[in-house]
Amino acid sequence: MLPGPDTLPAGALESAVLSSLPGKQPLIKRTYRPPNYETPPAALNDPFTPNSRFFVRYHLSSIPAVDAAAWKLRIGGDAVGTPLEYTLAELQRRFEVVDLAAVCQCAGNRRGLFQPHVPGIQWGHGAMGNALWKGIRLRDVLSRAHLKKEALEVTFDGADTGVLAKTPDFVKSLPLAKALDDHTLIAFAMNGEALPHWNGFPARLVVPGWTATYWVKHLNAIDVVSKAFDGFWMKTAYRIPTGLFAEGGRFLSQQTETSTPVTELLVNSLITHPADGQRFGHGDAIDINGVAWDGGQGISRVEISTDGGRSWDLCALGKDYGPYAWRPWVYRFAPSHSGTFAVKVRATNRSGSTQGTTAIENPAGYHHNAIQTITIHRV
Ligand SMILES: Nc1nc2c(c(=O)[nH]1)N[C@H]1C(S)=C(S)[C@@H](COP(=O)(O)O)O[C@H]1N2
Ligand SMILES: [Mo]
């Protein structure tokens, strides 16, 4: 068993076993079928999360190994003038290839930390990663399809399906404006290599700043539609109560009086070193490290408390890889006496949003961004 945050419910801790998927280093297994594996905390220390340690999240159990040579991307829907179909080679040849650093984070990351407990996969801190994505702009592809003026949303389907015919297919939609954003990509590669099978080979959507539910893997069909898409994964899943969170990109064509899709990532941070409960010797200076990110405004400051939140000091920010990437930070702590120290970290973004002491409760356990606390001991 792995050490885990002591606020995780017992069930989640017991299931925290390391196990490997083909082509991956050991990850923390949450479910085997469909495969749901999270990145161990120590592997989140790097500016870019290695592909072999990048988390894996699926809703459906039938996940075909896609043959890149036979794969095609189809673009259609009632709001395109010209339906299109491209092979992988055609997409890579005909459109400008761009790079973008961005955090891919499941909306349910840290669900296991909610008190009271909410149903769903009991993720710890590792249902996220930061990668350098390489691909083409979705906008450039859509412009060749001649969008009609009634275009409202764009839907995305991947090659995976349910085992039973009645399982709703995983199809997501974006509002037209987000689909046409310069930074929304059809990506083929991450961190300089082709996408791993488990992260969407041969192509996935990259929707920087928005929760990973929109980052459809094994992408094979795009439809531009004139009506709000009403599939299960938009209408029923991945929703939060309307108005509960002050921030976040609005998705008005999907909003009802009571609920709205979870969209933009909230400002958040993670302590990646030391581990919770770690012990240090007399006289040791302790480098406390971590990362901070948000939905694309960019991080303006990271503060740390080593006395349980009574006083706060500024951390040094590391290299800026762009507003959608996470920002490394570091703080050198030289305790003047022995004892136990409660370390807390709080990030603030460029529009002044910050983390609170508790997460905002919501039925599906999304958007957990409470200030994290770890305890360290100096003998
Ligand atoms: N085809 C497909 N794409 C998908 C999903 C899925 O179940 N099927 N899950 C989404 C969700 S909810 C998340 S959190 C991310 C996870 O990306 P990763 O597995 O590459 O880490 O994929 C998204 N794209
Ligand atoms: Mo997710």
Side-chain angles (χ1 to χ4, degrees):
M1 209 218 271
L2 280 177
D6 51 14
T7 45
L8 272 178
L13 276 180
E14 276 152 24
S15 68
V17 285
L18 281 180
S19 132
S20 283
L21 282 167
K24 290 275 186 185
Q25 296 289 312
L27 298 172
I28 302 170
K29 184 173 82 187
R30 295 295 173 202
T31 64
Y32 175 69
R33 205 157 189 264
N36 284 297
Y37 290 74
E38 69 176 276
T39 303
L44 297 170
N45 217 354
D46 298 343
F48 292 97
T49 316
N51 293 1
S52 62
R53 306 307 289 279
F54 211 90
F55 84 106
V56 175
R57 204 274 179 259
Y58 279 96
H59 298 85
L60 309 175
S61 294
S62 183
I63 306 161
V66 178
D67 172 5
W71 177 88
K72 284 201 173 109
L73 179 65
R74 187 188 61 68
I75 297 114
D78 73 308
V80 301
T82 313
L84 300 166
E85 201 172 71
Y86 291 106
T87 64
L88 191 57
E90 285 168 341
L91 284 175
Q92 290 171 335
R93 198 172 53 234
R94 295 197 196 169
F95 298 95
E96 186 189 351
V97 175
V98 293
D99 286 306
L100 183 101
V103 170
C104 175
Q105 184 190 212
C106 181
N109 191 29
R110 306 186 182 180
R111 181 183 289 119
L113 278 66
F114 271 99
Q115 298 288 1
H117 201 52
V118 286
I121 293 183
Q122 298 302 298
W123 297 113
H125 294 96
M128 65 164 183
N130 188 50
L132 184 64
W133 308 94
K134 188 186 279 297
I136 58 177
R137 294 184 195 93
L138 175 62
R139 187 196 67 186
D140 293 348
V141 177
L142 292 181
S143 74
R144 302 273 180 105
H146 305 112
L147 304 197
K148 297 181 184 168
K149 63 177 188 321
E150 55 269 32
L152 180 70
E153 294 184 4
V154 184
T155 74
F156 304 90
D157 192 6
D160 47 335
T161 56
V163 174
L164 305 172
K166 66 173 199 284
T167 309
D169 195 10
F170 189 77
V171 182
K172 295 295 294 187
S173 72
L174 286 176
L176 186 66
K178 188 68 181 174
L180 296 180
D181 188 295
D182 259 5
H183 301 109
T184 302
L185 307 182
I186 299 168
F188 315 112
M190 62 192 279
N191 299 326
E193 293 163 28
L195 293 175
H197 165 69
W198 302 109
N199 301 105
F201 183 85
R204 82 175 304 168
L205 205 64
V206 165
V207 190
W210 281 33
T211 56
T213 181
Y214 299 97
W215 299 41
V216 174
K217 302 188 277 189
H218 319 291
L219 181 64
N220 58 14
I222 299 177
D223 282 315
V224 186
V225 293
S226 62
K227 294 200 173 56
F229 173 68
D230 69 353
F232 174 84
W233 299 101
M234 291 308 302
K235 212 175 124 176
T236 309
Y238 284 103
R239 296 181 73 92
I240 48 179
T242 302
L244 182 63
F245 293 89
E247 342 262 329
R250 300 270 177 262
F251 195 161
L252 291 177
S253 54
Q254 289 285 340
Q255 185 163 310
T256 68
E257 229 168 85
T258 53
S259 73
T260 195
V262 60
T263 57
E264 246 171 65
L265 299 175
L266 301 187
V267 64
N268 214 339
S269 62
L270 178 72
I271 302 169
T272 54
H273 173 86
D276 194 17
Q278 203 168 322
R279 296 182 165 276
F280 293 88
H282 180 78
D284 290 353
I286 305 166
D287 274 337
I288 303 176
N289 301 84
V291 292
W293 66 99
D294 75 335
Q297 311 281 326
I299 295 300
S300 60
R301 98 179 159 261
V302 177
E303 296 158 287
I304 189 164
S305 172
T306 52
D307 57 9
R310 277 187 293 281
S311 65
W312 295 84
D313 203 356
L314 281 179
C315 298
L317 295 182
K319 189 169 171 191
D320 186 352
Y321 294 94
Y324 299 107
W326 65 35
R327 189 86 189 257
W329 53 262
V330 62
Y331 182 79
R332 175 153 286 195
F333 177 41
S336 59
H337 57 93
S338 59
T340 292
F341 300 88
V343 177
K344 292 177 183 279
V345 168
R346 168 172 84 192
T348 302
N349 72 6
R350 292 191 182 124
S351 55
S353 299
T354 191
Q355 299 176 247
T357 42
T358 53
I360 296 176
E361 282 171 42
N362 61 100
Y366 297 136
H367 273 338
H368 191 295
N369 74 333
I371 292 171
Q372 185 196 3
T373 306
I374 65 161
T375 301
I376 56 179
H377 310 281
R378 212 218 69 186
V379 292

